[in-house]
Amino acid sequence: MNMHRGEIITERDGLRVLECQQCGFAHLADIPSPEVLVQYYSSDFWSRDKAGWRERYEAQADWLAAVHADWLSLVETCTLGRTLLDVGCGWGFFLATATARGWLPWGVEPDRDTAAYGVEKHLSVYHGTWNLMDGVWTAKQWDCISALWLVEHLPDPLAFLRWARAHLFGGGILLLACPNEWTDLQEKANRVAAVKDYWADSSHINYFSAASLSNLLGRAGFVVIDRLGTYPMEHHLLGGKDYTANPALGEEAHALVRKVDLAQTREQRLEFGRALGRKGAGRDQVLI
Protein backbone atom coordinates (compact mmCIF):
# COMPACT_ATOMS: atom_id res chain seq x y z
CA MET A 1 0.00 0.00 0.00
CA ASN A 2 1.27 3.46 -0.85
CA MET A 3 1.49 5.28 2.48
CA HIS A 4 2.69 8.57 1.00
CA ARG A 5 0.10 11.28 1.47
CA GLY A 6 0.14 15.00 0.94
CA GLU A 7 -0.77 17.96 -1.22
CA ILE A 8 0.53 18.15 -4.78
CA ILE A 9 2.69 21.30 -4.75
CA THR A 10 4.41 21.09 -8.15
CA GLU A 11 3.15 19.64 -11.42
CA ARG A 12 5.01 19.95 -14.71
CA ASP A 13 5.61 17.75 -17.77
CA GLY A 14 4.03 14.75 -16.14
CA LEU A 15 5.97 15.17 -12.88
CA ARG A 16 3.82 15.47 -9.75
CA VAL A 17 5.54 16.48 -6.51
CA LEU A 18 3.72 16.10 -3.21
CA GLU A 19 4.55 17.50 0.22
CA CYS A 20 4.64 14.13 1.96
CA GLN A 21 3.23 14.06 5.47
CA GLN A 22 4.85 10.70 6.19
CA CYS A 23 8.36 11.53 4.97
CA GLY A 24 8.54 15.16 6.05
CA PHE A 25 9.83 16.37 2.69
CA ALA A 26 8.56 16.78 -0.85
CA HIS A 27 9.02 14.00 -3.38
CA LEU A 28 7.47 12.57 -6.51
CA ALA A 29 3.97 11.24 -6.08
CA ASP A 30 4.98 8.24 -8.17
CA ILE A 31 8.40 6.99 -7.09
CA PRO A 32 10.07 4.65 -9.60
CA SER A 33 10.96 1.16 -8.44
CA PRO A 34 14.54 0.46 -7.25
CA GLU A 35 15.04 -1.81 -10.26
CA VAL A 36 14.07 0.95 -12.70
CA LEU A 37 16.33 3.43 -10.92
CA VAL A 38 19.36 1.11 -10.92
CA GLN A 39 18.92 0.57 -14.64
CA TYR A 40 18.56 4.32 -15.25
CA TYR A 41 21.62 5.37 -13.26
CA SER A 42 23.76 2.57 -14.62
CA SER A 43 23.06 3.56 -18.23
CA ASP A 44 20.92 6.54 -19.25
CA PHE A 45 21.72 9.20 -16.64
CA TRP A 46 25.26 10.09 -17.72
CA SER A 47 25.22 8.80 -21.29
CA ARG A 48 21.88 10.30 -22.35
CA ASP A 49 20.51 12.91 -19.92
CA LYS A 50 23.93 14.31 -18.96
CA ALA A 51 25.64 13.81 -22.31
CA GLY A 52 28.55 16.22 -22.66
CA TRP A 53 28.85 16.93 -18.93
CA ARG A 54 32.22 15.24 -18.56
CA GLU A 55 33.70 17.65 -21.08
CA ARG A 56 31.94 20.50 -19.30
CA TYR A 57 33.47 19.47 -15.97
CA GLU A 58 36.89 19.14 -17.57
CA ALA A 59 36.61 22.70 -18.87
CA GLN A 60 35.64 23.87 -15.36
CA ALA A 61 38.30 21.84 -13.55
CA ASP A 62 40.00 24.84 -11.92
CA TRP A 63 36.71 26.12 -10.49
CA LEU A 64 35.61 22.67 -9.33
CA ALA A 65 38.95 22.11 -7.62
CA ALA A 66 38.68 25.45 -5.80
CA VAL A 67 35.12 24.86 -4.57
CA HIS A 68 35.76 21.24 -3.61
CA ALA A 69 38.86 22.31 -1.68
CA ASP A 70 36.75 24.92 0.14
CA TRP A 71 34.40 22.23 1.37
CA LEU A 72 37.18 19.83 2.28
CA SER A 73 38.91 22.57 4.27
CA LEU A 74 35.83 22.65 6.51
CA VAL A 75 35.74 18.88 6.87
CA GLU A 76 39.43 18.81 7.74
CA THR A 77 38.87 20.95 10.83
CA CYS A 78 36.63 18.21 12.23
CA THR A 79 38.20 14.85 11.33
CA LEU A 80 41.18 13.04 12.82
CA GLY A 81 41.88 10.87 9.78
CA ARG A 82 41.81 11.32 6.02
CA THR A 83 39.76 8.39 4.70
CA LEU A 84 36.84 9.36 2.49
CA LEU A 85 34.06 7.65 0.57
CA ASP A 86 32.32 9.61 -2.19
CA VAL A 87 28.96 8.00 -2.96
CA GLY A 88 27.77 8.60 -6.51
CA CYS A 89 31.20 9.95 -7.41
CA GLY A 90 30.47 10.44 -11.11
CA TRP A 91 33.60 11.22 -13.10
CA GLY A 92 35.72 11.52 -9.96
CA PHE A 93 36.50 15.23 -9.90
CA PHE A 94 35.85 15.52 -6.17
CA LEU A 95 38.02 12.45 -5.56
CA ALA A 96 40.84 14.07 -7.50
CA THR A 97 40.73 17.17 -5.29
CA ALA A 98 40.62 15.04 -2.14
CA THR A 99 43.64 13.06 -3.34
CA ALA A 100 45.56 16.27 -4.01
CA ARG A 101 44.85 17.39 -0.42
CA GLY A 102 46.25 14.21 1.09
CA TRP A 103 43.06 12.23 1.58
CA LEU A 104 42.79 8.49 0.94
CA PRO A 105 39.52 8.47 -1.02
CA TRP A 106 37.31 5.82 -2.54
CA GLY A 107 34.34 6.36 -4.80
CA VAL A 108 31.33 4.30 -5.83
CA GLU A 109 29.47 4.94 -9.08
CA PRO A 110 26.67 2.88 -10.68
CA ASP A 111 27.54 3.73 -14.29
CA ARG A 112 30.26 1.38 -15.54
CA ASP A 113 31.74 3.73 -18.17
CA THR A 114 31.75 6.68 -15.77
CA ALA A 115 33.43 4.60 -13.06
CA ALA A 116 35.99 3.40 -15.61
CA TYR A 117 36.93 7.02 -16.36
CA GLY A 118 37.87 7.52 -12.71
CA VAL A 119 39.96 4.34 -12.74
CA GLU A 120 41.75 5.61 -15.84
CA LYS A 121 42.63 8.71 -13.82
CA HIS A 122 44.20 6.41 -11.17
CA LEU A 123 41.36 6.94 -8.71
CA SER A 124 39.91 4.19 -6.51
CA VAL A 125 36.43 4.00 -8.01
CA TYR A 126 34.18 0.97 -7.63
CA HIS A 127 31.35 0.18 -10.02
CA GLY A 128 28.16 -0.42 -8.05
CA THR A 129 25.65 1.11 -5.65
CA TRP A 130 26.22 2.09 -2.03
CA ASN A 131 23.78 -0.45 -0.58
CA LEU A 132 25.44 -3.45 -2.26
CA MET A 133 29.09 -2.66 -1.57
CA ASP A 134 29.63 -3.63 2.07
CA GLY A 135 31.20 -6.94 1.07
CA VAL A 136 33.57 -5.23 -1.34
CA TRP A 137 35.18 -2.50 0.76
CA THR A 138 38.44 -3.18 2.51
CA ALA A 139 37.39 -0.36 4.86
CA LYS A 140 34.15 -0.58 6.84
CA GLN A 141 34.12 2.96 8.20
CA TRP A 142 35.39 6.30 6.99
CA ASP A 143 36.35 9.67 8.42
CA CYS A 144 34.17 11.41 5.82
CA ILE A 145 31.38 10.28 3.55
CA SER A 146 30.46 12.71 0.79
CA ALA A 147 27.13 12.72 -1.01
CA LEU A 148 27.19 15.52 -3.56
CA TRP A 149 23.90 15.94 -5.40
CA LEU A 150 22.85 12.42 -4.48
CA VAL A 151 19.96 12.46 -1.99
CA GLU A 152 17.57 14.11 -4.44
CA HIS A 153 17.90 11.00 -6.62
CA LEU A 154 17.31 8.31 -3.99
CA PRO A 155 13.99 6.50 -3.44
CA ASP A 156 14.70 6.29 0.32
CA PRO A 157 17.14 9.03 1.37
CA LEU A 158 16.62 8.31 5.07
CA ALA A 159 17.86 4.74 4.60
CA PHE A 160 21.00 6.07 2.91
CA LEU A 161 21.65 8.65 5.63
CA ARG A 162 21.32 6.01 8.35
CA TRP A 163 23.70 3.77 6.40
CA ALA A 164 26.16 6.65 6.13
CA ARG A 165 25.88 7.36 9.86
CA ALA A 166 26.69 3.71 10.64
CA HIS A 167 29.72 3.75 8.32
CA LEU A 168 31.41 6.81 9.81
CA PHE A 169 33.99 6.65 12.56
CA GLY A 170 32.96 8.32 15.80
CA GLY A 171 33.21 12.03 15.10
CA GLY A 172 33.13 11.36 11.36
CA ILE A 173 31.66 13.89 8.96
CA LEU A 174 29.00 13.71 6.28
CA LEU A 175 29.48 16.26 3.50
CA LEU A 176 26.19 16.68 1.68
CA ALA A 177 25.09 18.92 -1.20
CA CYS A 178 21.73 19.08 -2.93
CA PRO A 179 19.37 21.60 -4.54
CA ASN A 180 17.69 24.07 -2.21
CA GLU A 181 13.99 24.32 -3.03
CA TRP A 182 11.08 26.52 -1.95
CA THR A 183 13.21 29.56 -1.11
CA ASP A 184 11.60 33.00 -1.15
CA LEU A 185 13.73 33.94 -4.15
CA GLN A 186 12.68 30.84 -6.05
CA GLU A 187 9.04 31.67 -5.45
CA LYS A 188 9.58 35.20 -6.81
CA ALA A 189 11.48 33.93 -9.84
CA ASN A 190 8.75 31.43 -10.59
CA ARG A 191 6.25 34.27 -11.08
CA VAL A 192 8.23 35.68 -14.02
CA ALA A 193 9.83 32.52 -15.43
CA ALA A 194 8.63 31.34 -18.83
CA VAL A 195 8.71 27.74 -17.54
CA LYS A 196 6.73 27.51 -14.32
CA ASP A 197 8.07 25.21 -11.59
CA TYR A 198 11.29 25.08 -13.59
CA TRP A 199 13.16 23.28 -10.79
CA ALA A 200 11.16 20.06 -11.33
CA ASP A 201 13.68 17.67 -12.89
CA SER A 202 12.93 14.32 -14.47
CA SER A 203 15.86 12.72 -12.60
CA HIS A 204 14.95 14.14 -9.18
CA ILE A 205 12.77 12.17 -6.82
CA ASN A 206 13.13 14.40 -3.74
CA TYR A 207 12.91 18.17 -3.28
CA PHE A 208 14.35 19.57 -0.05
CA SER A 209 14.01 22.92 1.64
CA ALA A 210 16.66 23.92 4.19
CA ALA A 211 14.25 23.00 6.98
CA SER A 212 13.14 19.63 5.61
CA LEU A 213 16.71 18.53 4.90
CA SER A 214 17.85 19.51 8.40
CA ASN A 215 14.93 17.57 9.83
CA LEU A 216 15.80 14.48 7.79
CA LEU A 217 19.43 14.62 8.87
CA GLY A 218 18.33 14.85 12.49
CA ARG A 219 16.15 11.76 12.08
CA ALA A 220 19.23 9.93 10.78
CA GLY A 221 21.26 10.92 13.84
CA PHE A 222 23.29 13.79 12.38
CA VAL A 223 23.91 17.25 13.82
CA VAL A 224 24.50 20.05 11.30
CA ILE A 225 27.61 21.99 12.33
CA ASP A 226 28.12 24.14 9.22
CA ARG A 227 25.95 25.17 6.32
CA LEU A 228 26.66 26.97 3.04
CA GLY A 229 24.49 28.20 0.21
CA THR A 230 25.63 28.53 -3.38
CA TYR A 231 24.97 31.63 -5.47
CA PRO A 232 21.19 32.11 -5.98
CA MET A 233 20.87 31.71 -9.75
CA GLU A 234 17.36 33.17 -9.51
CA HIS A 235 18.97 36.62 -9.36
CA HIS A 236 19.87 36.21 -13.04
CA LEU A 237 16.34 35.16 -13.89
CA LEU A 238 14.83 38.09 -12.01
CA GLY A 239 17.33 40.34 -13.76
CA GLY A 240 15.89 39.46 -17.16
CA LYS A 241 18.03 36.46 -18.13
CA ASP A 242 15.31 33.83 -18.22
CA TYR A 243 17.36 30.68 -18.55
CA THR A 244 14.22 28.57 -18.23
CA ALA A 245 13.33 29.65 -21.77
CA ASN A 246 16.90 29.88 -23.11
CA PRO A 247 19.48 27.44 -21.67
CA ALA A 248 22.29 29.48 -23.26
CA LEU A 249 21.52 32.23 -20.76
CA GLY A 250 22.00 29.71 -17.99
CA GLU A 251 25.44 28.87 -19.32
CA GLU A 252 26.34 32.57 -19.36
CA ALA A 253 25.11 33.00 -15.79
CA HIS A 254 27.08 30.00 -14.53
CA ALA A 255 30.20 31.27 -16.29
CA LEU A 256 29.85 34.59 -14.47
CA VAL A 257 29.45 32.83 -11.12
CA ARG A 258 32.59 30.79 -11.75
CA LYS A 259 34.52 33.92 -12.72
CA VAL A 260 33.51 35.72 -9.52
CA ASP A 261 34.30 32.67 -7.37
CA LEU A 262 37.79 32.32 -8.80
CA ALA A 263 38.47 36.03 -8.27
CA GLN A 264 37.79 35.61 -4.54
CA THR A 265 39.83 34.05 -1.77
CA ARG A 266 38.66 30.91 -0.01
CA GLU A 267 37.75 32.96 3.05
CA GLN A 268 35.59 35.26 0.93
CA ARG A 269 33.81 32.38 -0.77
CA LEU A 270 33.12 30.66 2.55
CA GLU A 271 31.92 33.86 4.20
CA PHE A 272 29.48 34.46 1.35
CA GLY A 273 28.29 30.83 1.42
CA ARG A 274 27.77 30.87 5.17
CA ALA A 275 25.77 34.10 4.97
CA LEU A 276 23.42 32.40 2.54
CA GLY A 277 23.31 29.21 4.58
CA ARG A 278 22.29 31.05 7.75
CA LYS A 279 19.22 32.36 5.89
CA GLY A 280 18.40 29.03 4.23
CA ALA A 281 19.12 30.75 0.91
CA GLY A 282 21.12 29.79 -2.18
CA ARG A 283 20.41 27.65 -5.21
CA ASP A 284 22.09 24.66 -3.56
CA GLN A 285 22.71 23.80 0.06
CA VAL A 286 25.99 22.33 1.30
CA LEU A 287 26.01 20.88 4.80
CA ILE A 288 28.72 19.57 7.12
Side-chain angles (χ1 to χ4, degrees):
M1 179 182 295
N2 182 3
M3 298 299 293
H4 299 291
R5 296 287 186 273
E7 178 187 356
I8 298 295
I9 54 176
T10 295
E11 193 164 2
R12 180 172 74 82
D13 296 339
L15 299 174
R16 299 167 61 247
V17 179
L18 63 83
E19 187 67 60
C20 185
Q21 299 171 1
Q22 177 192 15
C23 297
F25 57 88
H27 60 68
L28 290 181
D30 303 303
I31 299 175
S33 70
E35 294 77 16
V36 168
L37 289 170
V38 168
Q39 175 62 31
Y40 171 66
Y41 287 109
S42 64
S43 56
D44 292 342
F45 179 71
W46 285 115
S47 63
R48 185 192 68 192
D49 294 350
K50 298 293 184 180
W53 276 66
R54 190 194 78 190
E55 292 79 8
R56 182 181 302 184
Y57 287 150
E58 288 173 336
Q60 301 171 6
D62 55 346
W63 174 73
L64 286 171
V67 173
H68 290 164
D70 290 350
W71 301 346
L72 283 167
S73 73
L74 301 179
V75 174
E76 289 160 5
T77 65
C78 305
T79 56
L80 295 175
R82 289 287 181 103
T83 60
L84 181 146
L85 174 66
D86 189 23
V87 182
C89 66
W91 304 104
F93 289 91
F94 183 72
L95 293 176
T97 302
T99 300
R101 292 183 65 84
W103 285 81
L104 181 62
W106 292 265
V108 58
E109 167 57 46
D111 184 280
R112 186 179 301 277
D113 292 339
T114 306
Y117 177 86
V119 174
E120 291 171 5
K121 296 295 183 180
H122 308 291
L123 301 170
S124 297
V125 179
Y126 293 83
H127 171 241
T129 56
W130 62 272
N131 55 331
L132 298 177
M133 298 300 290
D134 278 356
V136 175
W137 307 118
T138 54
K140 301 299 182 184
Q141 290 178 302
W142 289 269
D143 297 291
C144 176
I145 293 177
S146 52
L148 307 180
W149 290 279
L150 173 74
V151 292
E152 67 269 26
H153 299 281
L154 299 177
D156 189 349
L158 181 57
F160 165 73
L161 292 174
R162 285 173 170 163
W163 177 91
R165 180 75 172 78
H167 287 75
L168 285 168
F169 287 120
I173 293 294
L174 174 70
L175 170 62
L176 185 151
C178 76
N180 189 23
E181 315 292 11
W182 328 122
T183 66
D184 291 342
L185 201 61
Q186 188 183 67
E187 297 285 348
K188 293 177 182 177
N190 197 41
R191 298 184 195 126
V192 301
V195 179
K196 302 304 180 186
D197 297 339
Y198 55 89
W199 56 84
D201 186 288
S202 61
S203 71
H204 292 183
I205 295 173
N206 310 305
Y207 297 82
F208 295 104
S209 66
S212 66
L213 183 58
S214 295
N215 177 63
L216 186 67
L217 286 163
R219 290 171 62 193
F222 287 102
V223 175
V224 178
I225 60 174
D226 212 343
R227 180 193 297 271
L228 309 174
T230 65
Y231 185 83
M233 299 302 294
E234 296 87 356
H235 280 307
H236 293 284
L237 198 157
L238 288 166
K241 294 185 177 181
D242 190 349
Y243 49 79
T244 72
N246 183 356
L249 294 177
E251 291 295 327
E252 292 179 11
H254 277 287
L256 180 59
V257 170
R258 295 193 298 272
K259 182 178 180 180
V260 171
D261 277 347
L262 289 174
Q264 294 179 312
T265 65
R266 172 167 300 153
E267 290 72 20
Q268 289 170 330
R269 290 192 296 266
L270 290 176
E271 181 181 4
F272 178 72
R274 283 191 173 116
L276 291 171
R278 285 193 293 269
K279 298 184 292 184
R283 181 62 197 101
D284 299 289
Q285 45 189 328
V286 181
L287 289 84
I288 306 291

